[in-house]
Amino acid sequence: LKAITAQSAAIRRRGEFLEPSAWISGGLSLRPREVPRRAFARMASAQSADIARSAASDAKVTPTTWEKFVAGKKVCPFCACVSFFLVGLFFTFLLIWYIDKEGDAVFSFEDADVKSDLIVQQAYAFEAARGEPTGCADDAHSESKEACEADEKCRWDESQLSGGGRRGGEEPSKCKTKDICPGPDPRPRESPLIYDGGPMWVGTIYEAQEDGNILDDDILEHIRKFEQTLLTDVNGAKLKTGESSAWNEDWCRLTYPNGKPRDSPGRCAAPDSVLNLFMTTPEAIAETKAQAQDGFTPSPVLACMCTDEDSLCSVCTSDGGVKAQAEWPVDVQTCMATKMATPTTAAPATTTTSSNSSALCESRTAFSVEAFLKDFCATTPTCQWGPPKTSKVCFATSFYHPIHATGVATGSDKEAAFAKMCNPDEVGWWQVRRSQLPLSFDCGARKTAFARTSFFAGGTGEKDEGKNFETQYIQGISGWYQKEKQLEADIESASGGKLRVILFSAATLRAQFLNILLVDALLSIVSLVSVWLYMWWSLESAFLASVAMFEIIFSIPVAMSLWSVILQQEILFTQLLCIYLILGIGADDAFILNDAWMQSRLVIGDNQLERFSWAYRRAFRAMMVTTATTCGSFVIGAASPLPQVQAFCIFAAVVVLVDWLFCVSLFASALMIHENYIRSSKDPGTCLGPGCCCGCLKVFSQAFCKKCVGDLPKAGEPQVRGMEKFCQGPLYGCLKRFRLPLIAVWTILIVAMIISAGVNLRTAEKRSPIGKQSLDVIRGFEILLEEFSLFSTPTTSFVFGLDPEEPVEFGATTSDNEARYSASEAAKVTTPEGQLELLSLCRAADQGKGTNDIRCEDRSCLVLGRVQAGLCAANREVYRSSGVYITDDVLCATGRYCFMEEVARYWAFHIAGGECKGRSTAAQCGTVTTCSYATASQPCCAWDTDFDLCYPTVTENDYPGLPANEFVSLLGSDAFTAYLNFRKDTMYAYVREFDAIFDQELTGFRLSPDKQSLSMAWITFNATYPAQNTVEQANDWYDRWEAFRMTYAAGVGGFQTTELYKFMVTQNEMVKAAVLGVCLSLLITYIILLATTANWWTSTLGLVNIIGIACVFLGLIPIVGWSLGENECIFLIAVVGLSVDYSVHLLHSYTHATEDDRDGRSHHALAEMGISVLSSAATTLLAAAILFGCGFYFFIQFGGFVFMVIGLSIIMSITFLMPLLLTVGPQERQGDLSFLCKRRAKQ
C-alpha cells in the first residue's frame, strides 16, 4: 500500500491520471488476483480522494451571495427552500384559480388546424359566411326559457331532467321547434326511457375471429342464444332489492296495435337485430302473420295484401299499375273491408295546431288506399311476409325473436334472404342490411366479419326514471351489467373462440371508459411512485427523492400557468404528457447536482459552504448546457406549420426550463437542509442509517450478498459509490478494449436502419387506434367508425362567391372570423348559364351507380344515396298541391341538399305554372291556356283525380335560367321566403324534421344587405368516404370530388370543403414538418453545443451520435409496426430534444476534463457523469415501461416512444459516443474555438 501511494503521488506530480491498470505496476510483485477485493476497493476510493484533493488544491472556491442564500447561509437555513416551494405553490394555485374561472375553455382536446393553408382557410371562411343556422335551436333562443317561448314556433323542452340531468348539477334545457302536427301522449314504455338526457340504447357488436364469417350457421346460432338470454332474463339479473327483473317483462320498449282501442296492451317492439335478416323460417313467418292479425303491423288494412309467396303483389299489374278492385283476390277484398269497418278510439293531441299548419296535418293523416296503391304498385313490389322493417307493410312490429323464434334460416331460405338484402330494388331489405351489416359486407361471397344489434329500453316519462334504472337495475353484483358480462364470456367460450361479443349502452358506456381511464390513471401513479422509489434508492434519502419529485411534477402546473394565464394559450391533451418527458430530464438534473455534492467531499474536503459552491457551479454548468440544448431543440418546433406541434414543442421547452430553475433553486437548497438536519448520522448498513428504505436495503444487502456491496465507509467518510466504480472501472475498460468493434457495429446498424426507413417507412394507412384491441369498448368503437354509418354522415360542400385567394380574416376566436367575399365570383352563379351549371352539378347525383359511379352506398361512388338512377319518387299529393318536394319513401336518399333545385321548383309551380293554383274543378283546370310552355301535347295544367287538385305540367326540369337581376330578386323576395318556410313546415309535418334541419345547414345563399346582389351560396352532398382515412385516401377523395365539380360546374368557380380536408392538410404537412423539425433541431443543437463547449470537434462527434439515434429510431418505426401518422410525426420532432441530454453531459465533462489525452478525458467523463446519466435513464425507462399497460393507444405509443428514444440515447451515448471519443476524440486543444472569444481555455 505504501508503494502504491508513493507511486500515485509521483504520477500525480507529473500531471498524469492513475488508471486502474497502473495500480499494479512499477515492479511491484502484487497481481490483481493477489489483492483482496475489499482492499482493492479501499485503495481505489482512497486514491480517488487523494487525486481529487490534489487536483483542487490550487483552486480556491469563493461562494457568491446567491450560493450562500441557496445554501441557507445568508438569511436562515430554511428561507431559501421555503421561498422556492412557495413560488411553485403560488403558480399552482394560480392555475387552479384560472381553471375555476374559465372552466373548460382552458383546455382543448381537438387538434388545431393549419390555418396557413388555403384549403383550411376556405373551410373557416365557409363557416364564417354561413353563420349559425337560425331557428329555435340557435343561441338566441336557447339562452333562456323566456327567449325560447317568445317565439310562437318554439317550445322549451325539459324532458332531459328525466334520468338525473346533466352532470355538475346544471339544469338541462333546450329550445326546440314545436310539433307541427302533435300526436297523442305516448303510452307506457312506448317512448324510449330517457337516461342522462338521451334515449337509453343498447348496442352489440359481433366480430368473427380468425378470419371467420359472422354469417356462418354456427356463429349465427351462438348470436341467437346470446340475444335470447340478453333480451329476456339476462342470466337472472336482479334489481337492487333482490327481485328478479326480466328485460322483456319490465324494460323493453313496447309497441301497440294499430286499429285497436288505445288501451289495448302492448308488446315488446322488435329489436334492430342482425338476426332479423334471417327470420324467414316457416315458424317465423307464421308468427309474423299472427302478430299482424292482432294489429301489430304498420297498416292492418294494407297487410291484407301480404302473402307467403315471393311474387308480384296481387293487387298490382306487371307494368306498375293497380288492378281494378274487382280483380283483387276475394280474401284481400274481404279482409280490407273488415279492417276498414272496425272502429278505433282516437286519442286527443297533446297540443293544438295553428290554422296555418292544420291543412298540412289533415293532408298527412288522411289516408287513401287508392292513392297509396298507385305509388306502391309503381315499384312492382312483392307482398311477401318478411322480417321487421324489410317492407312497408308486410311485417310485424312486435316480432320479438328471442320469444317468437327458435332458430334462424338455413339452406335455401338463407340464400333467399341474401338475395333480397343484396338487391337494391328491395328497399326495405337493403336498408335493414345496411343498418345491421357493415360496409365491407361482400354480397358475392356472402361474407363479413362484423354485425350489430341495437334496441331501446322503454320509459314512462316519470322523473328520475333514468337514474333509477341505472342504480336499481344496471349496477350491482347481480345487476344487468354484471350478468351481461358473464353472458358474454359464456357465449364466447361456447363458440370456441370463433365469436367476440362487444356490448355497450348509454348506461354503461361512461363506466366502461372510466374504468379504462382509472386503470391508466393508476398506472400513471404507479409510474410516478416507481420513479420516486428508484430516486430514493439512488439518492439514499426519502426527503431528497420527494423534493426531486416535487420539482419534476410541479414544473407542469407552473408551466401551465405561464402558458395559459400569461400567454393566454389553450392547454392541449398532448402537453399533459410532458410529465413523462420531464421525469427523465428532471431526475437527470437532480442526480447531477446530488452526484456533484457527493463528489465534492473528495475534491474540497469538509468545508460545507465551499463544497456546495463547487458542486453547485459544476452541476449548474452541466445542467445549463443540457437545458439549453433540449430547450433549443424543442423551441425550434415553433417553426412548424402545425399548431399542435408548435404548442407541444414550445410548452415542452417551458417545462424543461421551469424544471431546471426548480432544480438549481429548490432542490439545491433542499440538499443543504438534508445535509444539516435530516441526513442520518449512523453508519451506512445499519438500521435507520443512510440509504433507501431507512438503510434497510443496505442491511439486507450486506446480510445476503456482502461481496456485492463490499465494505461500507463510516458515517461522514468519503464514499465512491458502486455505480461510480463500475463506470470508471469495468465499463471504461470494456469500452476502451472494444471501441473499434462497437463503432463498426453501430455504423452498420445505423446504415441498416436508414435502409429500413427508406424501404419500409410509409405514411399511415389509417389513423392510430383508440386503444388496446383487447378492450371491448375500444374495439367496438373502432368497428363502428370504420364499418358502420352509426355517426353523422360525412358531407362535402361546394361554396361559391368567396375570395379564392384570401377567403377569411381570422379573429381572436372562431366566432370572430370574417369571410371575404368576391363579387366577381358570386356573379358567376347569378348568370343563366351559372344557374344551369349549378343545377347540373346537383342533378348529377341522379345518375346513380351507373357507369360513372356517382351515387350509391359504397365507396366506389362519391355521393351516398340511392343506387338506382333518377330522383326519388316525390310525395305526389304534396308536390302537386304546393310544389314542395319531399320523398314518398323516407328511406330513399337523394344524396344532396341544393337550394337551386328549390328555385327551379318554385319557378315551375308559382311563376311559370302559377295560373294553375286555386282551380278547384277539373273544368276550371282545363281552361288555363295562357302559360308560355303550353303546346298541343302539353296543356298548361292537369287534374289529379286521386287528390282532386290542379297542378302545372311544367316541372323543375324545364327551368331555363333567369336573368341575373331577376334571379337575385327572386332569392330576396318575400314570396320565395314564404315558400321555403312552408317547405320547412311540410317536412316537420311529415316527420322529416332532420331533413329540415340539414336542409337549413347544408344549402343556402346569402344576399348583400340591400338584397341587390348575391354574396355567397353553397350546396352539399352526402359523401361515402369513411370516418377514418389515410393521407393517400384523403388526397384521393379530394381529387375525385374536384374532378366531379370541374365536370359538371367548372364555369361557376367556387371550391369544395369538408372536415376531411382539414385532416388531409394536417397529414400532408406532418411529414414535411417532421423532416424540417428534425433538421432544424439538429442544427440548433449543434450551434448550442459549439457555444457551450467551444470545441467543434466534440460538438461534431456529439452531433454524429444524435443523428445516429434519430436514424435508428426512424428505422425502428416500421419494424415495430408504426407508420408516419400524426403521433409519429410529433415523436420525430421531439426525438432530438429527448435524446440530447446524455450526449451533452458526457461531452461537457469530456471537454472540461483536466487531462490532455483522449483516454484520460473519456475516463474522467465516465467517472464524473456515468452514474448520473445511467440513473436518469433508469428513471425514465421505468416510467415509460409502465405506460405499456395502459388501455388508450396514445399512452401506449407515447410510452414506447419515450422508452425507445431514451433507451437508444443512453445505450448509444455509452457504447457509440464514448468509443468515438476514445478513438478520435480531441486531445489537448484540438478543436478549441475559445480563441474566437479572445480567451484561452483553462488547463
Side-chain angles (χ1 to χ4, degrees), residues 173-185:
S173 60
K174 191 173 183 180
C175 191
K176 294 183 178 180
T177 303
K178 285 182 179 178
D179 295 331
I180 299 296
C181 301
D185 290 329

Side-chain angles (χ1 to χ4, degrees), residues 17 23 43-53 602-603 720 728:
F17 192 89
W23 291 344
M43 286 188 288
S45 176
Q47 187 207 22
S48 297
D50 189 28
I51 294 172
R53 288 196 185 96
L602 303 175
V603 177
V720 179
Q728 62 185 340

Side-chain angles (χ1 to χ4, degrees), residues 836-856:
L836 295 178
E837 279 199 41
L838 200 54
L839 276 174
S840 174
L841 182 63
C842 296
R843 292 168 178 169
D846 289 335
Q847 297 178 42
K849 178 78 172 172
T851 57
N852 295 326
D853 287 340
I854 301 296
R855 184 181 67 197
C856 64

Side-chain angles (χ1 to χ4, degrees), residues 29 72 447 538 702 897 899 915 953 971:
S29 59
K447 182 177 181 180
S538 182
Q702 276 206 322
Y897 302 87
F899 80 95
E915 291 293 327
T953 59
L971 293 180

